[in-house]
Amino acid sequence: MNLEHIPQLKYTKSNNFFLLCGPCAIEGEEMAMRIAEKVVSITDKLNIPYVFKGSFKKANRSRVDSFTGIGDEKALKILRKVSESFKVPTITDIHEISDAHMAAEYVDVLQIPAFLVRQTDLVVAAAETGKVVNLKKGQFMSPESMKHAVQKVLDSNNEQVMVTDRGTMFGYQDMIVDFRGIPTMKQYAPVVLDVTHSLQQPNQSSGVTGGRPDMIETIARAGIVTGADGIFIETHFDPANAKSDGANMLHLDHLEKLLSNLVALRKTVNAF
């Protein structure tokens, strides 16, 4: 899939994958800048087009006492500072129609969460901002059904759309990735594989989502081999104490080795 019509995400001359990466949630300026600086240094070295990811708020928590954010405007200003400081685009999720215009003032890509991707008004509101729209495939949806979500963006006069697979529900407390979905959805839009969310173990009795970070490289490698245009990874320098999704995040110290392996694998795949 050619990404030239998406300026923020176009391939470099190396024909590499692009990367959406950062913490699950913006916990503060220092942590966001620290993570961004590290990832930028790695992606510059490996020639990987990079988009910094961070949620300005977390609206889909299992428990009412779970961390939801540090304040909308405060977090969005941090995302803008990351972009201006490191000259990289940024992406954040939106959950309500009113979020679309507000977040569009600060970030380059608006992400529709998987549970909300069928919400027409939300998708259209994101599309009408003119920003790139990242549609996360619902855990309950087939790859084929995502063509309708993509069409909603296109029908809103916005061609800047991509789709992200984040796994499909397998029973009540686990996720699987059906890798047939990557070539299927590439018929509709560029496709990203969300590696870390695909390894979540939701609906735990504690109300805190679990995960399998030990399988991150396995899933990421399979995504590269099956033709994913981009890779999505949440990372943190202290996952055990992260305020959201720490159980399935990649430790920041392990990111460079993983990405180096994926770049090498991508070059091999490109040779065929």
Side-chain angles (χ1 to χ4, degrees):
M1 177 65 68
N2 191 332
L3 302 183
E4 291 298 324
H5 68 294
I6 305 181
Q8 295 93 331
L9 302 178
K10 63 184 179 182
Y11 284 129
T12 62
K13 293 180 181 179
S14 64
N15 197 28
N16 214 346
F17 59 90
F18 61 89
L19 177 70
L20 312 183
C21 184
C24 178
I26 300 297
E27 301 170 9
E29 181 177 317
E30 189 278 332
M31 66 85 68
M33 297 295 283
R34 177 177 172 183
I35 292 171
E37 182 177 26
K38 178 66 172 180
V39 182
V40 166
S41 70
I42 295 169
T43 53
D44 281 353
K45 183 190 306 183
L46 297 176
N47 198 27
I48 300 172
Y50 173 49
V51 182
F52 178 84
K53 184 270 168 185
S55 297
F56 76 93
K57 68 177 176 182
K58 302 300 296 182
N60 58 336
R61 303 294 82 189
S62 296
R63 294 178 3 187
V64 73
D65 61 345
S66 295
F67 174 80
T68 57
I70 60 174
D72 295 354
E73 188 175 12
K74 183 177 181 180
L76 287 167
K77 285 182 176 179
I78 291 171
L79 284 164
R80 183 161 61 189
K81 183 171 182 178
V82 166
S83 181
E84 293 173 346
S85 299
F86 298 103
K87 310 304 179 188
V88 295
T90 54
I91 179 172
T92 198
D93 347 41
I94 61 172
H95 298 85
E96 302 176 36
I97 295 170
S98 59
D99 289 346
H101 178 72
M102 175 177 64
E105 296 294 319
Y106 296 90
V107 302
D108 303 282
V109 186
L110 299 179
Q111 180 168 282
I112 307 298
F115 283 128
L116 299 177
V117 76
R118 284 177 57 94
Q119 298 299 107
T120 299
D121 289 349
L122 181 62
V123 173
V124 170
E128 289 180 342
T129 66
K131 297 291 185 175
V132 177
V133 179
N134 183 28
L135 302 167
K136 301 199 85 173
K137 185 185 81 65
Q139 300 93 322
F140 47 87
M141 294 174 66
S142 70
E144 292 80 3
S145 65
M146 284 302 294
K147 66 183 175 184
H148 303 298
V150 170
Q151 193 63 47
K152 291 175 184 178
V153 179
L154 299 178
D155 288 346
S156 301
N157 298 313
N158 188 342
E159 295 185 350
Q160 299 186 115
V161 58
M162 57 185 176
V163 175
T164 294
D165 194 337
R166 49 94 70 241
T168 300
M169 289 302 298
F170 184 68
Y172 289 111
Q173 295 177 321
D174 210 352
M175 309 289 296
I176 60 169
V177 178
D178 180 354
F179 288 98
R180 297 173 299 178
I182 292 177
T184 296
M185 292 188 292
K186 284 182 66 160
Q187 299 174 74
Y188 321 133
V191 174
V192 178
L193 177 61
D194 182 343
V195 177
T196 48
H197 284 104
S198 295
L199 292 167
Q200 281 186 334
Q201 294 177 319
N203 303 324
Q204 300 298 313
S205 58
S206 64
V208 178
T209 297
R212 289 289 308 274
D214 57 301
M215 296 295 291
I216 286 174
E217 183 153 354
T218 298
I219 297 297
R221 284 179 178 233
I224 294 295
V225 170
T226 48
D229 298 297
I231 295 293
F232 183 118
I233 295 174
E234 288 188 337
T235 187
H236 199 288
F237 49 79
D238 187 10
N241 291 301
K243 295 184 181 296
S244 179
D245 281 4
N248 54 272
M249 277 200 280
L250 179 71
H251 197 290
L252 190 59
D253 288 347
H254 300 153
L255 183 64
E256 183 168 2
K257 182 66 165 70
L258 170 64
L259 293 179
S260 296
N261 290 343
L262 296 182
V263 167
L265 184 59
R266 180 56 177 261
K267 289 179 180 178
T268 301
V269 170
N270 286 347
F272 287 90

